[in-house]
Amino acid sequence: MIWKLVEKIEAKATQWYHQIHNNPELSGEEVETAKYITKLLRSWGISVRTGVTGNGVVGIIEGKEVNGKVIGLRADMDALPIDEKTNLPYKSKKPGIMHACGHDVHVANLLASAYILNEIREKWNGRVVLIFQPSEETLPGGALKMIEANVLDDPYVDVVIGMHVSPELSTGTIGYKSGVFMSSTDEIYIEVKGKSGHAALVKEFIDPVVSSAAIIINLQQIISRRNNPIIPTVLSIGKVIANGRTNVIPSLVNMEGTFRTFDENWRNEAKTLINEIVYNTAQAYATTANVNILSGYPTLYNDEKLSAEIINFIKNNLSEIKLIEVPMRMTSDDFAYFALQRPSFFFRLGTGNEKKGTTYQLHTDKFRIDDEALKYGIYTMSSIAFGFLNNQINI
């Protein structure tokens, strides 16, 4: 039944995806995207709440009987500050802004799932909460703000489902990982101060460049000597600005980096160690330092019982889907905040097709998806919702 509805709506869903890809909007600026979503939902008679924490949109579909389970389906909406280099006929109209992370696909996927569930609402009981979330790409993220706006409490949502495109998986494939799935992420900002001077007059300056180099090296001891080796962890400094010259030692060095891991206790401990190492190393080189660690998204955890139920449901009912277990990912997503509040399941939608040239990685200027992949995401999300509301999936 649902597969036939997917085939019916597939062409429209592809048009929605192309339209949103063609008109990307950055985090916090998703005004036209929100209007587009709202117009479609209302045209189907779905109740809509707009302006949720800015540009968020929440729709509610009621089944034959309102009393029953409630499932939340989430899609993020924002694009990235990247200049698109594809030759797609629907490539971004806006220089320097691109849907390079597939959020346009996520929105089209949720719109089509909403259409299908609304069409068959007489065949299930309960409610579906449609969560179109802004600002996933920019800290502190839109998920936490939407939770604070009670999107999970009015009505009370029992479980939340989300997805993300994955070009490394082939079209027709759904990737899953029960339990810990995606890493936490924190941004590190370090300022090292010394005394500027002529590079030849070594007694007259205090060198923040050498001090910064030592800090970078010493920070790696957190990974190799202080971390439990069974906990995957990354600490990388990706930006160093020392604005001197061949013969000028600057007075200031600024550095930026990222810290990612899969254990919240270790995450907190490591932040303390970062501060200690930076301050102590700076002091050893007669410099001073300031550290600012901007806390990002927590570890994303897929509820193990819910995951097992969904995986079993897909295996037994969705023969069109190729299901594959994937490893933990060192990338992050603020869907993790939903997973902290309710049992949740976040899956990966395969969009890769080498013949069609859709294997470019996320966050690159040539990223694109195989349009054929969209129907498998729609089928999976709408089927999970239908199965949950009809007690084929339980927690």
Side-chain angles (χ1 to χ4, degrees):
M1 173 183 65
I2 290 182
W3 183 251
K4 289 183 178 179
L5 288 170
V6 171
E7 292 179 321
K8 176 183 175 181
I9 199 64
E10 180 184 2
K12 281 287 187 183
T14 303
Q15 290 178 15
W16 302 333
Y17 154 56
H18 289 175
Q19 170 68 19
I20 298 166
H21 187 92
N22 201 207
N23 297 276
E25 295 176 298
L26 296 173
S27 301
E29 301 176 7
E30 311 92 338
V31 176
E32 296 304 319
T33 305
K35 288 180 180 178
Y36 188 73
I37 292 166
T38 300
K39 183 178 179 180
L40 284 170
L41 294 179
R42 285 180 172 160
S43 73
W44 304 329
I46 296 174
S47 172
V48 179
R49 180 157 60 109
T50 61
V52 182
T53 68
N55 299 318
V57 178
V58 177
I60 298 178
I61 307 173
E62 296 184 346
K64 184 177 182 181
E65 297 289 339
V66 175
N67 293 329
K69 295 178 176 179
V70 181
I71 186 169
L73 307 178
R74 175 265 199 175
D76 39 15
M77 305 156 57
D78 51 330
L80 287 162
I82 293 175
D83 195 36
E84 184 167 353
K85 294 295 193 295
T86 72
N87 293 315
L88 297 171
Y90 51 89
K91 70 177 291 187
S92 172
K93 290 180 179 178
K94 301 178 180 180
I97 305 176
M98 176 191 177
H99 270 294
C101 199
H103 296 187
D104 46 355
V105 184
H106 304 168
V107 171
N109 178 84
L110 184 49
L111 284 169
S113 297
Y115 172 85
I116 289 171
L117 292 166
N118 192 55
E119 284 286 292
I120 59 173
R121 61 188 179 278
E122 293 297 315
K123 297 184 182 295
W124 51 268
N125 296 325
R127 281 170 286 186
V128 177
V129 177
L130 310 166
I131 304 169
F132 292 91
Q133 176 211 307
S135 301
E136 190 278 331
E137 294 289 357
T138 304
L139 296 180
L144 190 58
K145 291 181 180 180
M146 294 197 82
I147 291 167
E148 292 170 349
N150 297 320
V151 298
L152 298 182
D153 295 307
D154 185 20
Y156 187 90
V157 174
D158 297 303
V159 300
V160 187
I161 309 298
M163 60 150 267
H164 204 294
V165 296
S166 286
E168 67 271 19
L169 299 177
S170 61
T171 296
T173 300
I174 295 295
Y176 72 91
K177 179 73 174 71
S178 180
V180 175
F181 186 17
M182 298 177 70
S183 74
S184 63
T185 179
D186 299 303
E187 295 179 359
I188 306 168
Y189 298 90
I190 302 170
E191 181 183 75
V192 183
K193 294 180 180 179
K195 180 182 176 183
S196 63
H198 194 294
L201 306 176
V202 295
K203 300 289 279 184
E204 302 300 323
F205 60 78
I206 299 173
D207 194 344
V209 179
V210 173
S211 178
S212 297
I215 287 170
I216 292 172
I217 296 300
N218 289 345
L219 283 174
Q220 295 308 311
Q221 303 305 309
I222 293 175
I223 309 301
S224 64
R225 291 296 179 266
R226 303 299 293 273
N227 179 39
N228 184 333
I230 68 172
I231 302 174
T233 305
V234 166
L235 197 170
S236 295
I237 301 298
K239 183 176 182 180
V240 180
I241 301 297
N243 197 19
R245 294 183 57 184
T246 57
N247 62 349
V248 176
I249 301 298
S251 62
L252 182 69
V253 174
N254 287 296
M255 299 186 286
E256 298 177 10
T258 184
F259 179 77
R260 297 167 184 253
T261 189
F262 293 91
D263 184 281
E264 289 298 307
N265 290 328
W266 163 236
R267 179 190 184 192
N268 292 329
E269 181 184 346
K271 289 179 185 180
T272 300
L273 291 171
I274 291 170
N275 277 279
E276 289 178 357
I277 287 175
V278 170
Y279 291 133
N280 291 337
T281 304
Q283 186 178 31
Y285 283 79
T287 56
T288 60
N290 293 313
V291 182
N292 180 26
I293 302 177
L294 186 59
S295 292
Y297 307 147
T299 303
L300 194 157
Y301 182 85
N302 276 335
D303 183 85
E304 292 181 350
K305 183 175 181 181
L306 178 61
S307 297
E309 287 276 321
I310 290 173
I311 292 161
N312 187 58
F313 172 79
I314 293 174
K315 287 180 178 178
N316 292 332
N317 296 280
L318 310 186
S319 59
E320 296 84 356
I321 298 297
K322 179 183 178 182
L323 199 60
I324 182 171
E325 185 172 9
V326 295
M328 295 188 299
R329 295 178 63 93
M330 198 56 82
T331 54
S332 62
D333 194 290
D334 73 344
F335 182 85
Y337 286 118
F338 292 112
L340 286 176
Q341 299 295 320
R342 300 289 191 275
S344 297
F345 182 73
F346 193 72
F347 65 89
R348 310 294 296 197
L349 171 65
T351 61
N353 186 317
E354 289 189 8
K355 292 182 179 179
K356 295 182 179 180
T358 64
T359 56
Y360 290 102
Q361 286 301 304
L362 301 169
H363 288 221
T364 64
D365 57 12
K366 291 186 178 180
F367 171 74
R368 54 175 292 193
I369 74 156
D370 177 6
D371 287 4
E372 188 79 10
L374 187 56
K375 65 183 177 183
Y376 296 102
I378 299 166
Y379 185 43
T380 301
M381 182 166 278
S382 56
S383 295
I384 290 172
F386 184 74
F388 179 77
L389 295 168
N390 277 320
N391 297 314
Q392 293 173 278
I393 297 171
N394 296 289
I395 54 172

